[in-house]
Amino acid sequence: MKTITPEEYAQSVKAASPPSPIVKDCTLAFLFGGFVCTIGQVLCNLYQNLGLELPQARMAVSISLILISATLTALGWYDNIAKHAGAGVLVPITGFANSMVSPAMEFKSEGFITGLGAKLFTVAGPVLVFGITASVVYGLIIFIFQI
């Protein structure tokens, strides 16, 4: 059995790997990310025109983008969009919603409660526990030091 050197292995990997179109990928990520931001701004303006104050409109935008992303994931469309958009849709809040719903959808055949709901909580649980714990610790620090 022949052992190969790290340099030979690197050459093998380079020969087997397809070239990455970095400029194209970055351009698509920029355009799709900008499109997500544009949708967010349109929603924010719409919610303000409907009578919400700016802080409430921003919260409604976040909820709307999460709902849209989760729905697109449930329909199986989000992955197809992400193939072309790359980081443009994976980094913002839409990517977070996709990462929460996507693993849960694999277990929907086990039922909505024992399959989908249980897996969704398994994924969301650590995020929620960390977020709530961090906010309590932060609140205590502010309270103790009167910042």
Side-chain angles (χ1 to χ4, degrees):
M1 181 167 161
K2 179 187 174 200
T3 59
I4 62 172
T5 65
E7 292 82 20
E8 291 173 327
Y9 178 75
Q11 288 175 352
S12 258
V13 168
K14 186 175 181 180
S17 301
S20 178
I22 293 174
V23 173
K24 176 187 163 219
D25 290 347
C26 289
T27 302
L28 286 173
F30 175 78
L31 293 173
F32 276 91
F35 182 68
V36 170
C37 293
T38 301
I39 291 172
Q41 187 61 52
V42 167
L43 287 171
C44 187
N45 292 346
L46 174 70
Y47 290 136
Q48 284 182 299
N49 287 338
L50 292 174
L52 293 178
E53 296 294 324
L54 185 58
Q56 288 78 25
R58 288 177 178 162
M59 180 179 57
V61 168
S62 295
I63 293 168
S64 298
L65 289 175
I66 290 169
L67 179 64
I68 291 167
S69 176
T71 303
L72 290 175
T73 301
L75 293 173
W77 299 349
Y78 195 92
D79 289 339
N80 293 330
I81 295 168
K83 283 180 192 175
H84 301 291
V89 295
L90 295 178
V91 175
I93 196 168
T94 55
F96 175 73
N98 172 260
S99 68
M100 298 292 291
V101 174
S102 188
M105 292 305 295
E106 296 173 17
F107 291 88
K108 73 178 180 182
S109 63
E110 296 178 21
F112 282 108
I113 303 299
T114 58
L116 188 111
K119 187 63 176 178
L120 188 61
F121 183 73
T122 301
V123 174
V127 174
L128 294 172
V129 168
F130 176 77
I132 292 167
T133 303
S135 65
V136 168
V137 169
Y138 182 69
L140 287 173
I141 290 171
I142 289 176
F143 177 75
I144 291 169
F145 294 107
Q146 298 296 317
I147 298 176

